[in-house]
Amino acid sequence: MDVETGKMSENGARGWFGRREILKWSAVAGVAAAGTTLLSGTSAFASAAEGSLKGKRIGISTAGTDHFFDLQAYNAQIEEVKRLGGEPIAVDAGRNDGKLVSQLQTLIAQKPDAIVQLLGTLTVIDPWLKKARDAGIPVLTIDVGSTNSLNNSTSDNWGIGKDLALQLVSDIGGEGNIVVFNGFYGVTPCAIRYDQLVNVVKYFPKVKILEPELRDVIPNTVQDAFTQITAILNKYPEKGSIKAIWSAWDIPQLGATQALTAAGRTEIRTYGVDGSPEVLQLVADPASPAAADVAQQPAELGRTAIRNVARLLAGETLPRETYVPALLANKANVNDVTKKLGIG
């Protein structure tokens, strides 16, 4: 292939691939590769390296544990601190921003050897992460894009967002209306995944994101998504008027899928991120409209963050971000993915 002209010859034939055609081929390639590890960028990937936390007190703060991802990552941190000989000081805000701020204040006052923050709206937590650093407490994060974090353990959300969007576009044949949940743009991973969806869709002019976009909520996420999608279906009753439903995480996908099944609109496909067992079970069901879900490894993210704390306290320099692989599960490969994750 001539990189400058974009001309490709095969058995003497030549053709031209414009940007849009390249993206369409990328969609096909992305779907064909679905289920492989999503890796991207030049930042460090999760390492097996670990150290000791003997005699160290580690603050572990989370926005909540009501979701499979959150609970797995939170518990794994506690267990890993203990395994490495340290003392965890773990606090769960229960999805209450006021409580989250109060708990961060308390952690700072206790002067632990490090604090790890799991999730949270950046505008809420960032001032307190800065206060911790100003107090001389090293701050690390999981899925939080803060300049006050020395290291953020995360999945490659750029790759996740791109691959999920390409799967969706390929599944609907590059045209049709899609419904989008966009209620947590202030949460860094959700913002990145949404932006990647928009970046892909703009090259497919026959794909349209319906407005107004839906706002997913916490708590009662499943019930709220069910209600909102039921209302959308009443507004668009003709089959084919909506092709897909996208969400930045998979609990809204669960409610949306249930609403489609209840309404007999299983021709519409749903897409999400996290790999909650109940959603992966729906993806595995041939009759379910759940088409794809990117499965993260929350327990490994939690362990990675704590190992990075140990490395930091031992004097190592950490990369800005540490990526833990994620797996794109679709109808064709979901059983393999769940086996790899140890939940199938």
Side-chain angles (χ1 to χ4, degrees), residues 64-133:
T65 55
D66 53 330
H67 181 210
F68 172 81
F69 176 96
D70 313 340
L71 183 61
Q72 290 282 306
Y74 180 70
N75 286 339
Q77 287 180 83
I78 295 171
E79 292 166 5
E80 191 69 359
V81 169
K82 292 178 179 178
R83 191 182 73 82
L84 296 179
E87 176 189 350
I89 309 171
V91 291
D92 174 6
R95 299 293 176 189
N96 183 307
D97 284 345
K99 186 177 180 181
L100 178 56
V101 168
S102 175
Q103 289 180 166
L104 281 170
Q105 288 176 309
T106 300
L107 276 180
I108 293 168
Q110 290 179 291
K111 299 186 183 298
D113 293 283
I115 290 175
V116 181
Q117 176 63 44
L118 167 62
L119 296 172
T121 301
L122 193 59
T123 53
V124 173
I125 61 177
D126 214 27
W128 300 99
L129 300 184
K130 183 178 186 303
K131 286 183 182 295
R133 287 197 66 179

Side-chain angles (χ1 to χ4, degrees), residues 13 15 52 64 113 142 152 154 175 198 208 229 238-239 277 286 326:
S52 172
D113 293 283
I142 300 173
N152 183 44
T154 186
E175 61 180 290
V198 172
K208 179 183 178 183
I229 293 303
E238 299 85 10
K239 289 193 174 183

Side-chain angles (χ1 to χ4, degrees), residues 66-70 160 164 181 184 190 193 216-218 221-223 225 245-258 270-283 290-298 327 329 341 343:
D66 53 330
H67 181 210
F68 172 81
F69 176 96
D70 313 340
I160 283 174
L164 186 66
F181 283 93
F184 295 101
C190 294
R193 296 166 195 166
D216 36 342
V217 301
I218 296 175
T221 308
V222 174
Q223 299 92 322
I245 300 169
W246 178 97
S247 56
W249 52 309
D250 63 10
I251 300 306
Q253 181 186 12
L254 179 59
T257 301
Q258 291 175 354
T270 67
Y271 300 81
V273 178
D274 275 337
S276 300
E278 60 266 43
V279 177
L280 291 176
Q281 287 173 8
L282 290 172
V283 174
D293 189 42
V294 181
Q296 300 190 87
Q297 299 188 70
L327 300 169
L341 296 173
I343 58 176

Side-chain angles (χ1 to χ4, degrees), residues 302-315:
R303 288 189 288 267
T304 296
I306 298 304
R307 290 170 192 158
N308 281 345
V309 170
R311 293 168 58 196
L312 177 72
L313 296 180

